[in-house]
Amino acid sequence: RASSAGAPTPSMTSSSSATTQQDLRRQLVLVAPMSVLVLLNVVLLVGQLVCEDREAPRGLRAECVEFIFFDPTGRVNRNSRFVLFLAMMQWLQAWTGIFPNWYVALSRQTGIFHRFVSGVVIFVLVPASLLRLVVWFVKPAGIGVVQRFAGLRHHLVDSVLIISWSLWLLMASISIATPAAVRHSGFKPSFVRDEGEWKHLCTLFKYTLFLWQALHCM
């Protein structure tokens, strides 16, 4: 009798299974968009590096000339990098809206991975991005213009920054998707179901789109 009393009941097993499936769905929703963005940014960066390599085979370089998507000074590549940047910014808006206390959740996490996620955004990504933004405002690079920072082309610096932010959002999503972190993140199921919150978020998306489009055309 004691053994049967201590054994999990079918209702307990089904409840645990439902919780596990809910956690997996939450992780998938958070991780999948950023995984796609990271992949697209990496493909774009690798294509640029290969096409700019002077030691690459002539046939490959000829294909790069014809396939202008990987020409970092061309309009197509420039607009593609802008679209990926804009998608990342809008996802960041949605992410911080869903998890308003994300910084509290990350700070309460223990372990090297979680500390790295918290530290890299404060000491690396934010200072580097602010410096690049100031330089861009002071001396923006137009189509066909190549600037250099510490010997690196400006489009390479931009691509690395966007990939770094996308990777950070991916790692932060993995870190904050744990049940312990979600409790401190400010997440509320009512936010997802509230149409008013989504209307406000969509309005912010539009403002972000128009703001960066205006700055991009300067």
Side-chain angles (χ1 to χ4, degrees), residues 10 14-15 25 44 69 90 92 97 108 122 128 154 169:
S14 60
S15 177
R25 286 196 299 267
L44 192 60
F69 181 75
Q90 291 184 330
L92 178 62
R108 287 177 175 269
I122 298 174
H154 76 277
L169 276 171

Side-chain angles (χ1 to χ4, degrees), residues 110-184:
T110 58
I112 297 177
F113 174 76
H114 304 294
R115 291 179 180 176
F116 172 79
V117 173
S118 300
V120 72
V121 67
I122 298 174
F123 299 108
V124 180
L125 291 179
V126 170
S129 300
L130 288 176
L131 178 60
R132 178 66 183 105
L133 185 62
V134 169
V135 173
W136 182 58
F137 275 124
V138 174
K139 190 178 180 181
I143 299 174
V145 178
V146 177
Q147 297 175 342
R148 290 185 179 273
F149 303 97
L152 299 175
R153 300 177 183 87
H154 76 277
H155 54 78
L156 177 60
V157 175
D158 294 342
S159 297
V160 171
L161 278 176
I162 294 175
I163 291 175
S164 299
W165 272 107
S166 300
L167 282 173
W168 180 82
L169 276 171
L170 178 60
M171 293 186 296
S173 297
I174 295 173
S175 178
I176 210 171
T178 59
V182 169
R183 287 195 293 269
H184 302 289

Side-chain angles (χ1 to χ4, degrees), residues 34 42 54 66-67 71 73 77 79 81 91 96 114 121 130 136 139 141 143 170 181 188 193 196 218:
M34 291 314 305
V42 169
R54 296 181 179 180
E66 295 179 1
F67 192 51
D71 179 10
T73 60
N77 181 276
N79 289 339
R81 285 187 282 118
W91 175 249
T96 53
H114 304 294
V121 67
L130 288 176
W136 182 58
K139 190 178 180 181
I143 299 174
L170 178 60
K188 297 179 180 179
R193 305 188 189 99
M218 291 176 58

Side-chain angles (χ1 to χ4, degrees), residues 73-90:
T73 60
R75 186 182 297 274
V76 175
N77 181 276
R78 192 166 178 258
N79 289 339
S80 299
R81 285 187 282 118
F82 173 72
V83 168
L84 292 177
F85 166 75
L86 192 60
M88 183 197 68
M89 291 297 297
Q90 291 184 330

Side-chain angles (χ1 to χ4, degrees), residues 51 60-68:
C51 290
L60 180 59
R61 296 187 66 181
E63 292 181 2
C64 288
V65 173
E66 295 179 1
F67 192 51
I68 58 176

